[in-house]
Amino acid sequence: MKALEISLSRATWSKDLSEVKRQHYVPQFLLKRFADNDGKLSVFVRTRGLSHRASPKDVACQRYYNAAKLESGEIDTQTIEKELSLIEGAGSAAINTLLSGERPTVEQRKDFALLLASQDFRSPRRRQQFADMLLGIQHNRFGRDTIESVANFIRDVTQASETVSQLDVTKISRSSELKVDEDGAISVSVEDTIRALTAAKHFSPAVAKMDWHLFRAPQGESFIISDSPVQLHESRGTLESFSGPAYWRKGTRIYFPLSSEACFMASHRIEIDVVALPPKFIVKEAKASEVRFFNQLQITGCLKQVYATSNYSWLIKKCAELPELTSDLSFMPVNAEGKRISVTTKR
């Protein structure tokens, strides 16, 4: 079986994961950076005015979330989990360097970029978007001259990224082999999950070459994190100015909270007179307005939950005001009211 096709010779595997059943889509080591002095998180639920306290080990996880099917037909519950744990080990060390304010080395840039990209693709929101995409493909019944498989879709995304060209989503195949249950839940194959996660290694080099910024929260302010912590953001103006997949568009900025005191941002390098400047690493004090902006990205970008150090009343209110998250893909089917149909992913 080919799981994440990523070389991790720098990291070492020592922990026995043979019995890991509860698998996190946001690493525990990262969640712990947002916990209080008692090691607890405040958990806020999207669309509801509810919150509760929980340990990092009990949130942002699902039983056998990273299971994969072997060629023999057996289910392997640990290989992807081990690969991701290796990425987390190297990435965690790189985060320690960033939080200290030290300039990361070339190797640390690669380690952290891979952690960021894999975190993006393993999140439940990405998995939801992937399921929505497949349902949209199935619903629209694209023509026979289109791409024949989701594997080829991932390949085309990769090629478009490498050539910084525009990907035509209208040429995605109708071949999805989805299973939709009576309750509307859609089952995405573990093979498709592997393909989505594998795509992370193709985008991480772009992140490694960006300018990096670390924003420190001012006194009295703190950052929050969600079940989908990596957020890509662009202004309307840059969306109209640049083409290609999001990681390569020159206007893309990537946000990733690293602790309650620090948030990471990556932006594309500035080119002057066709001379590419070396990537920067800048540490700065965030303004209160910037903290609010970063936190708003986490709130609106979450699939179901937001995590914070304290049980903030303002966060309860904001989460209660959020609508149910629906797909923004233009080829999704619509219901009688004209609203796009979204589905719930599951194994």
Side-chain angles (χ1 to χ4, degrees):
M1 181 194 71
K2 293 184 179 179
L4 293 177
E5 299 175 345
I6 299 169
S7 175
L8 292 164
S9 58
R10 297 185 305 278
T12 58
W13 176 250
S14 59
K15 185 180 178 181
D16 180 10
L17 285 179
S18 60
E19 298 299 328
V20 173
K21 299 178 181 178
R22 180 185 295 172
Q23 299 175 351
H24 283 73
Y25 39 83
V26 180
Q28 287 190 69
F29 84 84
L30 187 60
L31 292 170
K32 288 177 180 178
R33 298 180 185 276
F34 295 83
D36 62 13
N37 293 333
D38 294 327
K40 297 287 187 178
L41 292 165
S42 287
V43 182
F44 303 84
V45 184
R46 186 185 180 97
T47 75
R48 302 178 184 179
L50 300 174
S51 69
H52 64 274
R53 303 289 286 169
S55 168
K57 69 181 179 63
D58 296 323
V59 299
C61 60
Q62 182 177 317
R63 185 178 175 86
Y64 296 131
Y65 184 78
N66 295 314
K69 190 175 182 180
L70 299 170
E71 293 179 0
S72 63
E74 296 179 287
I75 299 298
D76 178 349
T77 64
Q78 303 303 315
T79 296
I80 295 180
E81 182 73 6
K82 289 181 179 180
E83 293 280 6
L84 290 173
S85 293
L86 289 171
I87 294 173
E88 292 171 14
S92 177
I95 288 178
N96 289 336
T97 297
L98 296 179
L99 293 178
S100 72
E102 297 179 21
R103 181 178 294 276
T105 65
V106 172
E107 291 302 309
Q108 287 172 330
R109 275 185 166 269
K110 292 179 180 177
D111 290 339
F112 179 75
L114 184 55
L115 173 70
L116 181 149
S118 62
Q119 176 59 64
D120 184 12
F121 280 86
R122 74 195 275 192
S123 71
R125 181 175 184 182
R126 279 288 194 188
R127 186 170 289 186
Q128 179 69 64
Q129 289 174 335
F130 194 61
D132 285 344
M133 177 192 74
L134 295 178
L135 181 63
I137 292 169
Q138 187 179 67
H139 176 80
N140 284 276
R141 303 294 180 186
F142 295 138
R144 293 183 179 180
D145 58 339
T146 57
I147 301 171
E148 288 301 321
S149 69
V150 174
N152 287 339
F153 167 74
I154 297 297
R155 181 202 65 197
D156 276 30
V157 169
T158 299
Q159 290 178 350
S161 299
E162 293 172 345
T163 58
V164 198
S165 62
Q166 181 66 47
L167 177 67
D168 186 355
V169 296
T170 63
K171 294 183 178 180
I172 301 171
S173 171
R174 62 190 175 93
S175 303
S176 56
E177 299 181 357
L178 297 177
K179 295 181 180 179
V180 182
D181 299 337
E182 292 181 0
D183 62 0
I186 187 170
S187 298
V188 183
S189 74
V190 289
E191 292 88 346
D192 290 335
T193 300
I194 292 173
R195 294 186 186 109
L197 288 172
T198 303
K201 81 181 184 74
H202 297 288
F203 292 106
S204 62
V207 179
K209 295 176 182 178
M210 290 180 174
D211 285 335
W212 289 6
H213 311 258
L214 187 75
F215 290 84
R216 297 194 187 281
Q219 187 173 4
E221 302 282 348
S222 63
F223 296 107
I224 62 177
I225 192 169
S226 71
D227 52 20
S228 301
V230 176
Q231 296 294 325
L232 279 65
H233 181 266
E234 295 174 84
S235 67
R236 187 178 299 276
T238 59
L239 277 172
E240 297 171 352
S241 302
F242 302 105
S243 63
Y247 274 90
W248 284 91
R249 286 196 291 265
K250 297 299 182 181
T252 298
R253 293 192 172 187
I254 305 171
Y255 299 91
F256 186 14
L258 303 183
S259 74
S260 58
E261 293 85 27
C263 185
F264 171 88
M265 184 192 80
S267 60
H268 284 278
R269 293 181 297 171
I270 300 174
E271 296 183 358
I272 301 177
D273 297 329
V274 198
V275 176
L277 300 175
K280 300 176 181 178
F281 176 58
I282 302 169
V283 181
K284 62 176 295 185
E285 186 84 0
K287 300 176 182 177
S289 59
E290 290 172 324
V291 175
R292 288 193 294 271
F293 172 74
F294 298 157
N295 286 346
Q296 187 63 32
L297 288 177
Q298 292 298 307
I299 296 169
T300 57
C302 74
L303 182 68
K304 294 182 179 179
Q305 293 183 337
V306 175
Y307 314 105
T309 302
S310 298
N311 194 18
Y312 301 118
S313 57
W314 63 268
L315 192 47
I316 294 176
K317 183 175 183 295
K318 279 187 172 291
C319 286
E321 294 172 349
L322 288 175
E324 290 286 349
L325 189 64
T326 57
S327 173
D328 57 359
L329 299 174
S330 61
F331 49 78
M332 284 293 293
V334 296
N335 60 20
E337 289 76 36
K339 296 182 179 180
R340 288 182 182 143
I341 300 170
S342 187
V343 295
T344 303
T345 59
K346 73 173 188 179
R347 282 280 182 241

